[in-house]
Amino acid sequence: MTFPAELKYTKDHEWIRFEDDDTAVVGVTDFAQKELGDIVYVDITTVGQTIEEGEIFGSVEAVKTVSDLFIPVSGEILAFNDELESAPELVNEDPYGKGWMVRIKITGSTDNLLSVEAYKELIGE
């Protein structure tokens, strides 16, 4: 499994990549996509909404389960990765690249995010 050091992580297995001071991209970690198995559908209907840290911003459906997605920081959902509508498997194939889920405008604290080292410890890596 890979965990890029430049990203921040959450206990709920999301990652966040800061694009600038107030914009970031969010997705699920390599660990999460492996645990879920083959992802067949990504459901995100929160574009344009402001979501508080830890709230659900969507869900992913795998062959055997459905899992909620939790926003790592408070912010407004600016965009959804439209490629996931026709190719949800991108989350499995490239979770930190083409499998990104939403772009957000950050409105809250980033203090609760985990470093790569803390995330690896959380999952027992």
Side-chain angles (χ1 to χ4, degrees), residues 14-25:
E14 281 83 26
W15 58 261
I16 184 167
R17 179 178 63 241
F18 297 97
E19 296 186 315
D20 55 40
D21 288 343
D22 67 349
T23 309
V25 174

Side-chain angles (χ1 to χ4, degrees), residues 105-118:
K105 179 177 181 177
I106 300 166
T107 60
S109 170
T110 59
D111 292 347
N112 292 327
L113 298 174
L114 304 174
S115 66
V116 66
E117 294 83 8

Side-chain angles (χ1 to χ4, degrees), residues 2-103:
T2 60
F3 305 101
E6 69 273 13
L7 304 179
K8 295 293 186 181
Y9 300 87
T10 72
K11 62 180 177 46
D12 296 310
H13 311 291
E14 281 83 26
W15 58 261
I16 184 167
R17 179 178 63 241
F18 297 97
E19 296 186 315
D20 55 40
D21 288 343
D22 67 349
T23 309
V25 174
V26 175
V28 298
T29 65
D30 197 17
F31 175 82
Q33 69 82 17
K34 281 185 176 20
E35 289 290 306
L36 288 166
D38 292 339
I39 294 172
V40 295
Y41 185 67
V42 178
D43 182 28
I44 296 174
T45 59
T46 51
V47 174
Q49 296 180 24
T50 298
I51 308 287
E52 295 299 315
E53 178 183 328
E55 289 185 352
I56 295 169
F57 71 90
S59 63
V60 289
E61 183 177 336
V63 174
K64 299 179 199 169
T65 188
V66 175
S67 183
D68 288 331
L69 300 166
F70 301 93
I71 203 73
V73 295
S74 297
E76 179 186 354
I77 309 294
L78 299 174
F80 164 63
N81 181 357
D82 292 337
E83 284 189 64
L84 299 181
E85 288 183 327
S86 60
E89 66 276 6
L90 289 172
V91 175
N92 295 111
E93 295 167 2
D94 190 11
Y96 303 114
K98 291 182 179 180
W100 68 274
M101 296 190 171
V102 293
R103 178 168 283 111

